[in-house]
Amino acid sequence: MKQQVNFFLIILFAGLVTYAQDAKFSATLGYPIAVGDNFLEQYSSIVDVGAQYRFLEAGPVHIGASANASFFSRSTTLNTTIKRKLSLVQPRVFGELNAAVLRGFRPSLGLGYTISSIASKSENDSSVDETDSSGAINVNLGVAYDITKNLFAFISYDYLNYTEDFPPTLDNSYFGNASFIKLGAGIRF
């Protein structure tokens, strides 16, 4: 089922290729990969989706706002199986360098906030379902490469610094910071 959804989204992105390279809107579909020694490495990556809007052009620098949503999952079994779903919602502002001398490469830097939510569900009917949420400062470094005038590939690095440990009941750096890389493709329209 997940493969069918990903295939549909790729076809949808390919069908939208009708606008100029300097378009103000773009959408991305990526795969998040946890890096470093942090709690994200316990989760399986599912997908990252994003949208960007560039509202200011100052020479080769484009300033804009973006939002991403990354999804992860995890199952653990002790006496019963517990399934956890982690969602990261990341609104941010960003700056992107678009200069002819870079030959299609567009480096970017973003700063924002991440809203993290873990939903836990036990397969044992006597157990209570739980949801924990927390927030983190988010720094994003990335680069996109223009494949065509509308289609691009990207890689980005996200560093999250939680304002409190996440989940909040644990107190150590393993849960206080997180980082991951996103690989994917996008379309400008």
Side-chain angles (χ1 to χ4, degrees):
M1 177 69 177
K2 188 173 25 171
Q3 291 174 340
Q4 292 173 339
V5 170
N6 287 341
F7 179 73
F8 172 76
L9 291 173
I10 290 169
I11 296 300
L12 179 65
F13 280 156
L16 292 173
V17 179
T18 57
Y19 296 96
Q21 182 174 350
D22 292 326
K24 292 186 178 214
F25 290 99
S26 61
T28 60
L29 179 64
Y31 186 74
I33 302 166
V35 294
D37 186 25
N38 61 71
F39 75 94
L40 282 178
E41 67 185 0
Q42 299 173 357
Y43 288 84
S44 298
S45 302
I46 298 175
V47 70
D48 177 84
V49 293
Q52 299 81 33
Y53 175 68
R54 292 155 191 82
F55 53 80
L56 179 64
E57 189 174 326
V61 177
H62 296 180
I63 307 294
S66 67
N68 283 71
S70 299
F71 302 96
F72 300 83
S73 68
R74 174 182 178 205
S75 290
T76 56
T77 304
L78 295 174
N79 294 335
T80 185
T81 300
I82 299 173
K83 294 183 178 183
R84 291 182 174 91
K85 294 182 180 178
L86 171 63
S87 304
L88 304 175
V89 178
Q90 301 174 294
R92 72 174 70 90
V93 294
F94 70 93
E96 176 184 68
L97 185 59
N98 183 18
V101 71
L102 296 175
R103 299 183 185 265
F105 285 96
R106 295 179 183 226
S108 63
L109 173 65
L111 180 64
Y113 194 74
T114 297
I115 302 159
S116 304
S117 176
I118 295 177
S120 301
K121 182 173 178 72
S122 174
E123 289 185 353
N124 182 353
D125 291 335
S126 65
S127 179
V128 179
D129 296 341
E130 296 179 4
T131 302
D132 290 324
S133 62
S134 186
I137 303 298
N138 172 231
V139 177
N140 173 272
L141 299 169
V143 65
Y145 178 73
D146 297 331
I147 297 169
T148 67
K149 67 180 190 174
N150 302 38
L151 186 65
F152 61 94
F154 74 91
I155 183 169
S156 66
Y157 171 79
D158 281 85
Y159 174 76
L160 311 178
N161 184 2
Y162 283 92
T163 53
E164 59 184 50
D165 288 332
F166 183 65
T169 56
L170 302 170
D171 184 23
N172 66 45
S173 64
Y174 185 77
F175 295 96
N177 301 308
S179 55
F180 59 99
I181 293 174
K182 293 183 247 183
L183 303 168
I187 187 163
R188 293 185 187 89
F189 51 94

